[in-house]
Amino acid sequence: MFRLAHVRGRAALLDDSHWFDLATLAGDESWSDPMVAIARHHDLHALSGALSSSLTPARPARPARPGGLIADETLGACVPRPQKVFAIGLNYRAHAEETNATLPPSPLTFTKFPSCLAGPDASIELSGESVDWEVELVVVIGTGGRHIGAADAWSHVAGLTLGQDISDRVVQRAGTPPQFSLGKSFDGYGPIGPAVVSVDAFADPDDIGLWCDVSGERMQTSRTSDLIFDVPTLVSYLSSICTLAPGDIIFTGTPSGVGMGRGRFLRPGDTIDSGAEVIGELHNRCVQPVTAG
Ligand code: ZN
């Protein structure tokens, strides 16, 4: 298994407490780009095996030297430049109910433009007074392809990470019919991380618990076993239309408990603490927008 992160602008593998520069570990500078590393996800397992950590029961003869402590770093987006960012709406039954929507017959898909992606501890500049949280499991494609069958889908996945599909509800719902993409693509509205965690790290990758606290209050909690369209179905469906590329990511939809259903939106000073089993946590603070000039 491996945990792939983005440290000081370079790809890094993580153990429980340290980061290891991937290119140094591999002895090959071409590994320094996280997008290259994701495309070579099969080789990351062996490179991760060289770490001198609890991840690897059998320690190698010459343990790798860590670059430093994870806790001392501000991680970047673990998938910094995906070609495509898919996001799925209304993919948990209870969330569809809280938004009074009828269940979609096929995955309700929009995009978040890649420029919205941010690191796991990034601040979020609020674009208005109706900005909402949406904790989501995020799928990272490792091996691309077209017409991928559901039975093969997991073998095309490099790993999983966690994301917040931050949404400006006014911008999202402006216009008839509403077009979601811009309201979900303000700079910083896609924090992801802390790392891409390989599929074999999960006891059951189709049943992962996730949660979201806003300023200390538990707002969302669910399991991905409650997805209406599960990960294999999403990979199969999306690849029936678009050729998937290594590094493409899929925000799989959010459970119930968003602000829209509560009449409570994000305010400057709010903290968003999101987590998922095995993957880890995001900690984002909401701030006033920094205006130009
Ligand atoms: Zn969403």
Side-chain angles (χ1 to χ4, degrees):
M1 67 178 76
F2 63 82
R3 303 174 70 85
L4 175 70
H6 190 185
V7 180
R8 302 184 183 180
R10 295 165 64 88
L13 290 173
L14 307 183
D15 68 10
D16 292 339
S17 53
H18 294 86
W19 60 272
F20 299 76
D21 185 82
L22 182 55
T24 304
L25 204 61
D28 176 351
E29 188 59 22
S30 69
W31 284 91
S32 62
D33 183 344
M35 303 309 296
V36 170
I38 289 165
R40 300 176 183 169
H41 61 112
H42 291 299
D43 294 333
L44 289 176
H45 295 272
L47 286 165
S48 195
L51 306 187
S52 59
S53 78
S54 56
L55 284 176
T56 53
R59 293 190 173 206
R62 281 190 310 135
R65 269 192 62 198
L69 287 167
I70 301 166
D72 290 343
E73 302 295 329
T74 301
L75 301 183
C78 54
V79 187
R81 300 183 315 282
Q83 183 189 92
K84 299 187 280 304
V85 180
F86 301 99
I88 310 300
L90 302 176
N91 203 17
Y92 287 84
R93 242 165 263 278
H95 178 57
E97 284 164 11
E98 79 179 340
T99 56
N100 294 315
T102 49
L103 293 184
S106 58
L108 180 64
T109 308
F110 53 93
T111 190
K112 289 172 77 73
F113 293 102
S115 52
C116 80
L117 297 174
D121 304 302
S123 294
I124 296 169
E125 289 183 22
L126 299 177
S127 55
E129 294 178 350
S130 61
V131 181
D132 209 344
W133 57 88
E134 294 193 351
V135 69
E136 308 196 5
L137 179 77
V138 175
V139 176
V140 182
I141 298 297
T143 304
R146 184 97 198 273
H147 300 300
I148 298 166
D152 291 335
W154 277 118
S155 71
H156 286 259
V157 175
L160 299 168
T161 192
L162 187 63
Q164 271 285 345
D165 175 19
I166 302 293
S167 305
D168 183 316
R169 300 301 187 196
V170 168
V171 177
Q172 177 189 345
R173 298 170 122 186
T176 308
Q179 303 292 326
F180 285 11
S181 299
L182 281 178
K184 290 165 170 280
S185 290
F186 284 85
D187 279 13
Y189 276 20
I192 56 172
V196 180
V197 181
S198 60
V199 178
D200 61 349
F202 299 85
D204 181 354
D206 288 304
D207 183 24
I208 301 168
L210 70 172
W211 60 91
C212 171
D213 296 346
V214 177
S215 292
E217 184 181 349
R218 178 61 43 96
M219 295 296 190
Q220 296 182 277
T221 181
S222 189
R223 306 195 65 82
T224 60
S225 48
D226 290 331
L227 285 169
I228 297 170
F229 300 106
D230 63 12
V231 171
T233 304
L234 294 176
V235 170
S236 176
Y237 174 73
L238 295 171
S239 73
S240 75
I241 296 168
C242 303
T243 299
L244 299 184
D248 283 351
I249 63 176
I250 307 166
F251 282 73
T252 56
T254 201
S256 63
V258 298
M260 188 169 49
R262 300 172 180 269
R264 193 283 199 216
F265 294 104
L266 293 166
R267 298 182 286 260
D270 272 335
T271 52
I272 311 171
D273 299 303
S274 320
E277 292 171 353
V278 181
I279 298 170
E281 298 182 352
L282 311 175
H283 301 286
N284 305 105
R285 184 175 180 80
C286 300
V287 299
Q288 301 266 18
V290 178
T291 49

